[in-house]
Amino acid sequence: MNDTRRTRAVLGVLLLISLAMITVDYRGGEHSPLRGLRTFGEAIFGPIEDAAAAVVTPVGHALDTIIGSPDAHRRINRLERENQRLRQQLRAQQIDKSRAEQLHRLLGTAGLGGYRIVAAQVISAGEGVEETVTIDAGSGDGVRTDMTVITGDGLVGRVTQVGPATSTVLLATDAASSVGGRLEGSGEIGVVRGTGRRSGSPLTFELLDSTVEIKPGQRIVSFGSQGNRPYVPGVPIGTVSRIQRTPGSLTRTAIVRPFTHFTALDVVGVVVAPPKKNPRDAVLPPAPPKPKTPSPSPSNPGPSNAGAPAPAPTRRASDEPSAAPRAMPSAEESASAGPPSRRRRSSTATEAPRARRTLTSTEPPRQPRPRTPHSPGD
């Protein structure tokens, strides 16, 4: 009992001494009277502390890993699920934004054409011989066979099979598809046929009148069917890209670039009620501006007045050929030529046009006045 009290008393005294030394050393700072003792303690116990830490730290980390492993795994799994959920939300927002834009264009096209439509979404594509897609709208939504299917860009095809909640659409690019088409502006009609999405030119256009001129860049809209089934009028189909030259053919065939991107169909519309009147070309988008052809620049540009006519060359005295000395006329030549005054006038009238031709190259030459012979008696 006494030993226990003595031990407690010694421990209390040591604690008080330790607190006093710590206080003195802390207040003294760099000039503490216990600085030497602190340095001595660091020199003695520093290596022991480092060795103990080198041994204890890995063991402590291992124990922490073993003890905290379940919580760490649960935290990692929770973060992965949250990351996946955020990615799905971002992808869904992007898809919803794209579908909203497509639906906006579809409603704009339907409004311009006066069509009443049922919006649908493509849920699958056919893998058989026919080029078809399946949409999520059926008889419950008012869809019937032989109805026109469009997008915000143009014609897609026609409904061939209808179920309670889904329908099958035959694409206009199918080889068995044919649509009555009409050229923008001229109103010339023909037949748009499908050649397959895998071909380089999925649509062709054959004019009924082989004498009609057709040019690349002309746009085609649907001509319409009798009773507006299966195709309503005025739906944009495509643009003529080039003309096929077939020798001996009775019709003229053009390759058509469709407005609709058939390999990326998503939001479509089924025309359940045709327009009250033919929209003709009203549904077509504004025609792109024609590119301006730059005027050819001269290879050697001159001054600003290069387009003005060149001035007439100036006659200089040095340019005149030296006149050869003339021989004196004989008596017979003088008698036949007439008086000197009249001969001088004739010579002047003959040489004046020649001088003017030398000065001005643009003036047409004048014919000299014919010389009238005179008898010696005049």
Side-chain angles (χ1 to χ4, degrees):
M1 191 71 174
N2 294 330
D3 294 339
T4 303
R5 289 179 178 177
R6 188 179 300 119
T7 302
R8 291 178 178 176
V10 172
L11 181 61
V13 171
L14 290 176
L15 289 174
L16 291 174
I17 294 173
S18 300
L19 292 173
M21 293 176 65
I22 291 172
T23 303
V24 172
D25 185 53
Y26 178 75
R27 289 183 175 274
E30 294 294 333
H31 305 284
S32 174
L34 300 178
R35 181 179 180 182
L37 183 62
R38 184 174 71 242
T39 303
F40 176 77
E42 290 177 354
I44 298 297
F45 296 104
I48 299 175
E49 184 180 0
D50 292 340
V55 174
V56 174
T57 299
V59 176
H61 289 169
L63 292 176
D64 292 340
T65 302
I66 294 173
I67 296 173
S69 179
D71 294 337
H73 283 295
R74 286 193 295 269
R75 185 164 55 253
I76 292 172
N77 292 334
R78 186 177 68 253
L79 292 176
E80 288 180 350
R81 289 194 302 270
E82 186 176 358
N83 190 13
Q84 185 177 2
R85 180 177 58 83
L86 292 175
R87 287 182 177 179
Q88 290 177 352
Q89 288 181 356
L90 179 60
R91 192 180 302 112
Q93 289 178 358
Q94 294 175 350
I95 293 175
D96 291 342
K97 181 179 179 180
S98 175
R99 288 176 179 171
E101 293 176 355
Q102 295 181 39
L103 183 59
H104 179 71
R105 293 201 308 270
L106 176 62
L107 294 177
T109 301
L112 289 175
Y115 314 125
R116 187 160 63 88
I117 64 171
V118 170
Q121 183 180 348
V122 176
I123 56 178
S124 67
E127 298 179 355
V129 179
E130 295 183 341
E131 295 188 359
T132 59
V133 293
T134 303
I135 59 176
D136 60 352
S139 58
D141 302 300
V143 178
R144 301 290 182 267
T145 57
D146 288 337
M147 283 186 171
T148 308
V149 182
I150 63 174
T151 63
D153 299 322
L155 181 68
V156 174
R158 60 185 177 91
V159 179
T160 55
Q161 296 179 6
V162 179
T166 60
S167 301
T168 302
V169 179
L170 180 68
L171 301 181
T173 56
D174 186 81
S177 175
S178 60
V179 185
R182 181 177 55 80
L183 287 176
E184 175 191 10
S186 65
E188 294 293 335
I189 61 176
V191 180
V192 178
R193 303 184 187 277
T195 59
R197 284 179 295 177
R198 296 175 181 85
S199 63
S201 53
L203 295 178
T204 61
F205 179 62
E206 297 179 3
L207 276 171
L208 299 184
D209 187 357
S210 60
T211 62
V212 175
E213 184 180 4
I214 182 171
K215 299 178 182 179
Q218 290 184 290
R219 299 184 292 180
I220 304 172
V221 298
S222 61
F223 181 70
S225 305
Q226 186 175 4
N228 296 316
R229 302 283 288 272
Y231 297 107
V232 294
V235 180
I237 296 178
T239 305
V240 175
S241 59
R242 60 186 175 89
I243 312 299
Q244 280 186 340
R245 305 296 181 182
T246 306
S249 178
L250 299 178
T251 59
R252 304 188 68 178
T253 304
I255 303 301
V256 178
R257 183 176 65 252
F259 289 120
T260 300
H261 194 188
F262 287 95
T263 58
L265 292 174
D266 190 5
V267 178
V268 299
V270 182
V271 181
V272 296
K276 295 181 179 179
K277 62 178 182 179
N278 189 345
R280 298 186 68 81
D281 302 334
V283 187
L284 283 171
K290 295 182 179 180
K292 297 182 179 179
T293 56
S295 58
S297 58
S299 58
N300 187 15
S304 58
N305 58 350
T314 305
R315 185 178 181 181
R316 294 178 299 178
S318 60
D319 296 336
E320 283 294 325
S322 59
R326 292 200 313 174
M328 295 298 292
S330 60
E332 296 179 355
E333 291 176 350
S334 301
S336 62
S341 60
R342 186 176 299 175
R343 188 169 58 250
R344 282 197 297 272
R345 285 198 300 269
S346 300
S347 176
T348 304
T350 305
E351 293 178 357
R354 189 177 304 168
R356 282 197 295 271
R357 286 200 302 271
T358 305
L359 293 176
T360 308
S361 59
T362 58
E363 182 178 356
R366 296 183 181 180
Q367 297 297 330
R369 182 180 301 174
R371 183 177 296 177
T372 305
H374 300 277
S375 61
D378 290 340

